[in-house]
Amino acid sequence: MSETPQLTRRPEWTALEDHRAEWHAHLRGLFAADPGRAERYVVTVGDLRIDYSKHLVTDETLALLLELAAATDVFGLRDAMFRGERINVTERRAVLHTALRAPRGAVVEVDGENVVPHVHAVLDRMSDFARRVRSGEWTGHTGRRIRNVVNIGIGGSDLGPAMAYEALRAFTDRDLTVRFVSNVDGADLHEAVHDLDPAETLFIVASKTFTTIETITNATSARAWLLEGLGDGDASGAGDAGSAVEKAVAKHFVALSTNTEKVTAFGIDVDNMFEFWDWVGGRYSYDSAIGLSLMIAIGPEAFREMLYGFHTVDEHFRTAPPEANAPLLMGLLGVWYGNFFDAQSHAVLPYSHYLSKFTAYLQQLDMESNGKSVQRDGEPVEWQTGPVVWGTPGTNGQHAYYQLIHQGTKLIPADLIGFARPVTELSGRLEAQHDLLMANLFAQGQALAFGKTAEEVRAEGVPEEQVPHRTFGGNHPTTTVLARELTPSVLGQLVALYEHKVFVQGAIWNIDSFDQWGVELGKVLAKRVEPALTEGADVPGLDPSTAALVAAYRDLKEV
Ligand code: F6P
């Protein structure tokens, strides 16, 4: 049995339950009684201004939530993480993505060894390689300049660089084509390469373990495509020492991994491998070597600016007092809704075209981290853990699913993220559109919080039978995150903010936010089922439903 008291039996938890039971306030009333909350409930971190005034909280709520954070020792676990302790208990690993952005000269030890020099050595190698590709000094097998970069990876080895590449498009070298292939559906690789010249294409195979079937399958197919395109005949000839094939692969394939053995076995020279370490979780890895495609696209300087942004928020999280600690407050607000208001999901709604992949990225960060139902010691949890995270860029969502947020029956806390200035050089008219974009963000926050009363609807002369339909209840909580513009540093700040928010929630729920055993079973079963699809093999132990599906698939395939 767990020695620590069960979360829901802690007095700090029951105090929150009592507070919730007495909660009847509406945001309209909260602001009427205390207009100062608009200024008071704002925290600034680096370039981010985080406004949490439109939340269903009072000073008392916040005090109770902070007491819960203290009782569950969130900051104790935080300090253990920064010290390099093995807080990923089920994998017995340190959790040190914060070391990836530690400045040169910092000391972060794992088992008595300072890892920061290793981090910077890899960053330096990446920078050198990125410069050579960007300048044209690194050429393909036939001597042609590299114009296309294709990252092959999945999950954390795809979502981070793909998201950040979109986010920082304005900072990319527009002469380079950068694409991301993740799906084992052959259509993904086909669409990514069908219009590319192999002689000008560099493949970056990104895989922490270098065993992930999707990535290895796509990388093998990419190698075949390359060798066929280069006219080097035997596409399967990896390992043919000193051959033209090996030379071609050496100029067109690099690997990002922790697994030197598997990278070598695949036929990629270790000289073309950029390493990282087991203390970097896949979903926390795009500021490691996994970010190489991004670094090639935006250049090493911008990449380091992004790391500086991450580090700024790391330092804030490490040192800011609880009541002004942004990730702590955001994490606690999520606990408040998820555990005391039965909110099942959390929407992240960026008002920025460049952040179109941001929420998809956060889905892995949050849901793979906190989608757990046992505590750190293996005991089942008796409380809700991570929410369903979802959302797309704001204005598009307004014309799709916001209806449900405004007038549906579910409580959906949301983050609205926006910027004061467009980051690209836009022509006069397009630049002016930015104000309209942001007007939408502010209007939605306002409508969600304050709604429209039946009296207000009637006062507009709306026929009585329509009044209920056109009334907005309001009282829907939002956080508004505002920055001047979406620079590399600001992106790093945003990602670190969410990383640490997720950490806070995992600490309170007493779960291991850094393992992901839940994805293993599907992987094992897929391997077992595949021969039944390809060879018609008899797979022992298939349940009747799956066996019938496999049979139907095989029949349809033959038609
Ligand atoms: O299947 C989940 C997962 O293990 C993620 O955690 C990880 O980001 C992804 O697969 C890819 O793993 P790898 O980088 O080892 O290929």
Side-chain angles (χ1 to χ4, degrees):
M1 279 299 286
S2 170
E3 282 168 25
T4 43
Q6 286 293 307
L7 179 61
T8 47
R9 274 171 238 139
R10 289 179 180 277
E12 295 81 7
W13 186 275
T14 50
L16 279 160
E17 280 177 334
D18 295 344
H19 183 62
R20 168 67 183 102
E22 287 159 15
W23 183 272
H24 300 294
H26 192 288
L27 281 165
R28 279 194 289 264
L30 291 174
F31 274 91
D34 176 18
R37 61 187 278 134
E39 298 297 329
R40 210 167 63 250
Y41 292 169
V42 174
V43 56
T44 304
V45 188
D47 300 305
L48 309 177
R49 182 186 190 276
I50 300 159
D51 179 328
Y52 57 100
S53 63
K54 293 192 185 77
H55 276 285
L56 307 179
V57 294
T58 58
D59 290 352
E60 187 190 354
T61 324
L62 291 169
L64 291 171
L65 287 168
L66 289 169
E67 279 169 26
L68 179 69
T72 48
D73 198 22
V74 174
F75 280 179
L77 193 67
R78 171 202 65 183
D79 294 343
M81 172 175 76
F82 277 95
R83 275 199 304 272
E85 288 179 25
R86 295 176 187 274
I87 64 162
N88 176 355
V89 284
T90 72
E91 295 180 318
R92 295 189 189 84
R93 287 178 180 165
V95 175
L96 271 181
H97 41 279
T98 51
L100 297 171
R101 49 268 189 155
R104 231 183 262 280
V107 177
V108 182
E109 292 188 347
V110 178
D111 297 334
E113 191 186 7
N114 182 13
V115 297
V116 178
H118 299 294
V119 168
H120 281 272
V122 174
L123 278 173
D124 289 343
R125 279 190 65 223
M126 288 166 66
S127 302
D128 179 54
F129 182 73
R131 277 198 197 96
R132 290 166 72 197
V133 172
R134 286 164 66 86
S135 68
E137 187 191 326
W138 179 281
T139 56
H141 184 53
T142 63
R144 299 251 291 276
R145 184 180 181 146
I146 296 296
R147 299 195 185 279
N148 317 307
V149 176
V150 180
N151 185 85
I152 299 178
I154 197 164
S157 300
D158 165 73
L159 287 162
M163 175 279 290
Y165 173 70
E166 280 306 315
L168 300 177
R169 272 267 177 149
F171 299 84
T172 59
D173 178 343
R174 303 286 187 162
D175 290 333
L176 278 171
T177 297
V178 182
R179 293 185 180 157
F180 296 85
V181 172
S182 54
N183 200 327
V184 77
D185 182 341
D188 198 0
L189 181 62
H190 168 75
E191 291 299 335
V193 299
H194 79 278
D195 57 348
L196 303 184
D197 182 343
E200 299 181 342
T201 302
L202 174 74
F203 289 99
I204 298 181
V205 187
S207 176
K208 178 176 168 179
T209 55
F210 231 75
T211 57
T212 305
I213 189 128
E214 291 88 343
T215 299
I216 301 308
T217 305
N218 275 325
T220 306
S221 299
R223 185 172 58 193
W225 174 85
L226 175 91
L227 297 175
E228 215 168 282
L230 291 179
D232 272 326
D234 179 12
S236 61
D240 186 0
S243 70
V245 165
E246 206 171 65
K247 285 187 187 141
V249 169
K251 297 300 273 181
H252 292 269
F253 274 81
V254 298
L256 320 174
S257 188
T258 58
N259 193 337
T260 313
E261 216 174 285
K262 294 277 181 198
V263 168
T264 316
F266 181 83
I268 297 179
D269 200 304
V270 280
D271 284 350
N272 289 348
M273 169 177 163
F274 298 86
E275 66 165 332
F276 60 113
W277 308 271
D278 73 356
W279 40 262
V280 181
R283 52 194 174 273
Y284 298 86
S285 69
Y286 96 78
D287 44 351
S288 70
I290 291 293
L292 183 65
S293 53
L294 175 69
M295 188 192 267
I296 293 172
I298 64 174
E301 288 74 25
F303 194 88
R304 284 183 198 257
E305 268 179 48
M306 183 186 76
L307 295 182
Y308 177 74
F310 272 99
H311 181 65
T312 304
V313 174
D314 292 344
E315 283 304 282
H316 166 86
F317 181 49
R318 201 174 63 78
T319 60
E323 63 283 0
N325 195 303
L328 181 72
L329 292 169
M330 286 175 72
L332 287 170
L333 289 167
V335 169
W336 180 227
Y337 298 119
N339 296 105
F340 300 93
F341 282 78
D342 297 327
Q344 298 289 314
S345 78
H346 183 94
V348 180
L349 308 166
Y351 280 71
S352 163
H353 180 67
Y354 290 115
L355 287 181
S356 59
K357 293 191 172 164
F358 189 62
T359 311
Y361 169 76
L362 290 185
Q363 282 181 324
Q364 188 199 14
L365 176 65
D366 201 325
M367 294 164 78
E368 198 167 77
S369 296
N370 286 344
K372 310 285 163 65
S373 52
V374 292
Q375 300 181 60
R376 295 161 67 78
D377 62 2
E379 288 293 312
V381 296
E382 293 166 13
W383 45 88
Q384 288 292 311
T385 58
V388 176
V389 176
W390 61 282
T392 52
T395 44
N396 298 1
Q398 283 172 215
H399 295 273
Y401 49 76
Y402 272 40
Q403 166 66 34
L404 185 145
I405 310 181
H406 281 290
Q407 289 187 316
T409 51
K410 294 169 176 59
L411 177 74
I412 302 176
D415 297 345
L416 309 173
I417 304 172
F419 303 93
R421 292 167 26 156
V423 76
T424 17
E425 295 279 313
L426 296 174
S427 68
R429 250 192 86 80
L430 293 182
E431 189 173 7
Q433 285 182 211
H434 192 78
D435 288 339
L436 180 58
L437 170 73
M438 290 303 289
N440 273 280
L441 182 157
F442 297 127
Q444 288 300 324
Q446 187 183 6
L448 286 166
F450 305 113
K452 195 171 181 182
T453 63
E455 292 67 44
E456 286 166 339
V457 177
R458 279 191 196 100
E460 287 175 355
V462 169
E464 194 54 35
E465 70 276 12
Q466 282 193 13
V467 169
H469 300 281
R470 294 169 70 162
T471 299
F472 287 67
N475 220 21
H476 299 291
T478 55
T479 301
T480 305
V481 182
L482 204 56
R484 198 169 80 129
E485 56 186 39
L486 182 55
T487 60
S489 169
V490 165
L491 181 68
Q493 293 171 41
L494 273 174
V495 173
L497 178 71
Y498 281 94
E499 285 178 347
H500 297 317
K501 172 203 157 173
V502 167
F503 175 93
V504 165
Q505 297 187 333
I508 291 174
W509 292 323
N510 195 32
I511 54 180
D512 187 337
S513 298
F514 302 100
D515 62 14
Q516 57 285 318
W517 300 106
V519 296
E520 294 304 321
L521 179 61
K523 289 187 196 174
V524 172
L525 293 183
K527 270 195 194 146
R528 206 184 294 162
V529 172
E530 197 197 358
L533 309 188
T534 51
E535 304 151 19
D538 212 10
V539 178
L542 264 196
D543 67 89
S545 169
T546 311
L549 285 169
V550 167
Y553 172 82
R554 286 188 55 78
D555 285 350
L556 285 168
K557 223 176 141 178
E558 301 307 321
V559 179

